[in-house]
Amino acid sequence: INAEYMGELLKMRVLCLFALLVAVACAGSLPNVLEVLPSNFGTTVEQNKCLLLEIYSPFCDHCSAFAKDLSTLGGALATKGISVGRVDGLHFKKYTEMFNIEYFPSFVLFSHVGHFDPATVSSNPHIVKFTEEDYSIDSLTNFASSCDPTVEAVTMASSSSPTKLNFVQQGGKQALSATVGDSFTVCLAGIPTTGYAWKLLDSCSQYVSQQGAVRVQDAPPDNFCFDFSLQQSGTCDLVFSFARAWQPASSGQQKATVQMTISTDSEELVSNFRTQHLLFPSIAGAVVLVVVVVAGVLYQYRRNAQAVANSESAAPLVLVEEL
């Protein structure tokens, strides 16, 4: 084998490897599906009230076979206000560890998470992993539909006045993202003279402290107002029940829920720093990988070509004795 042939062979290998890496790095996104990266993971979760996330591997046959259905699912759920996204769990292994993923593909539902804190994933009731073996369009639609995108999400204002959440008499749900030390008020509509009253069913006493007794007033919709302050980071559902004054709160048929996500200022700063400065986009990383691989292959090619040239110049002479 001469040096010219070997050089052409190595060039073809380099071109094939380069094409493969570029294809992996720049693979087209699926229609109706959000491509989630470490650089936008937190903001994607926080900006979508309901998000069904697929954790997949680009080398998983089942994932590839389900890609078209995932796109179809994304289009169908979008009409209900539910977003669908996917993240590469093979290359970004911290997400397989964070959500305790054992196989690809796996699915996780984020329901009004608000501020995303990786440290509270395992205990956050608003982050649920799909546990069924059948991950068909129907089963995932039913799973994702447990999240109601019409729930109003409230983020604490930076002003000194407490944030106020209002509920109609039928109750409902609202999501609240806040930090430790903030204060807020929940006011629920009702007619006090009917004998019915809003009562606190689940106080989340570990995270929230009620400030004084309920304020009852004839000023709709602020008929029953509760004042709270946040004292510990975490997640909790603050639940109110509309029941007769002499009956326990659990007997009420109408419920109002505040889905709280509470963080500290330091947790938010650390999360923002990690998102903005420590996480590298996958495409840029793939480009760097291509450059490094190509440089390594070209270096090896030069060494091999030089070795062949040296071997040819140093070939031993064969003497043929005349008969």
Side-chain angles (χ1 to χ4, degrees):
I1 302 176
N2 57 34
E4 183 178 356
Y5 173 80
M6 188 171 183
E8 292 299 324
L9 182 62
L10 286 174
K11 285 180 182 180
M12 292 184 63
R13 290 180 178 177
V14 169
L15 290 175
C16 292
L17 179 61
F18 182 81
L20 176 62
L21 292 175
V22 169
V24 171
C26 304
S29 58
L30 294 176
N32 307 316
V33 178
L34 301 173
E35 294 294 335
V36 184
L37 302 170
S39 57
N40 67 356
F41 192 97
T43 55
T44 301
V45 171
E46 294 167 10
Q47 292 175 0
N48 291 274
K49 293 182 178 180
C50 300
L51 173 66
L52 178 65
L53 182 69
E54 179 197 40
I55 302 176
Y56 76 102
S57 165
F59 303 108
C60 163
D61 293 337
H62 295 288
C63 303
S64 300
F66 190 68
K68 184 177 180 180
D69 287 342
L70 185 67
S71 180
T72 302
L73 178 66
L77 290 179
T79 62
K80 300 181 178 181
I82 302 174
S83 302
V84 173
R86 65 174 186 170
V87 63
D88 186 343
L90 179 66
H91 292 95
F92 306 123
K93 293 184 179 179
K94 71 175 185 177
Y95 297 116
T96 63
E97 298 172 357
M98 182 184 301
F99 301 108
N100 193 26
I101 300 302
E102 299 178 354
Y103 50 84
F104 297 122
S106 289
F107 301 88
V108 179
L109 180 64
F110 299 83
S111 305
H112 302 281
V113 171
H115 172 70
F116 179 69
D117 181 6
T120 63
V121 165
S122 60
S123 60
N124 193 329
H126 307 302
I127 301 177
V128 182
K129 188 165 68 171
F130 184 74
T131 57
E132 298 180 21
E133 294 184 1
D134 173 27
Y135 51 88
S136 64
I137 292 180
D138 291 339
S139 62
L140 288 172
T141 298
N142 293 334
F143 174 63
S145 297
S146 63
C147 179
D148 183 2
T150 62
V151 173
E152 181 182 355
V154 178
T155 301
M156 282 291 191
S158 58
S159 62
S160 57
S161 58
T163 295
K164 182 180 176 182
L165 288 76
N166 286 95
F167 285 89
V168 297
Q169 185 169 328
Q170 287 73 26
K173 294 181 180 180
Q174 294 191 46
L176 176 67
S177 296
T179 56
V180 173
D182 286 335
S183 298
F184 68 99
T185 298
V186 177
C187 288
L188 306 106
I191 303 176
T193 56
T194 61
Y196 282 85
W198 282 101
K199 302 179 181 182
L200 191 57
L201 181 60
D202 189 343
S203 63
C204 294
S205 57
Q206 180 181 355
Y207 307 99
V208 177
S209 175
Q210 184 175 353
Q211 306 298 303
V214 56
R215 293 182 281 113
V216 182
Q217 50 197 7
D218 188 15
D222 300 341
N223 299 116
F224 299 88
C225 293
F226 299 77
D227 300 312
F228 301 95
S229 64
L230 303 174
Q231 56 188 13
Q232 182 176 322
S233 61
T235 58
C236 182
D237 287 350
L238 197 64
V239 182
F240 303 85
S241 175
F242 195 59
R244 292 185 181 275
W246 58 87
Q247 292 179 334
S250 57
S251 64
Q253 297 297 315
Q254 299 173 358
K255 300 287 193 306
T257 303
V258 179
Q259 300 174 332
M260 298 183 299
T261 302
I262 312 164
S263 63
T264 62
D265 290 331
S266 59
E267 289 172 346
E268 189 165 359
L269 288 174
V270 170
S271 177
N272 290 339
F273 177 81
R274 287 175 176 171
T275 300
Q276 298 175 9
H277 301 286
L278 299 183
L279 300 175
F280 200 68
S282 64
I283 294 180
V287 171
V288 172
L289 177 61
V290 169
V291 173
V292 172
V293 170
V294 170
V297 172
L298 290 176
Y299 173 74
Q300 187 63 38
Y301 159 69
R302 292 185 61 186
R303 290 193 58 186
N304 292 341
Q306 186 63 41
V308 171
N310 293 339
S311 64
E312 290 179 348
S313 63
L317 298 177
V318 178
L319 300 179
V320 180
E321 183 178 356
E322 292 185 2
L323 297 177

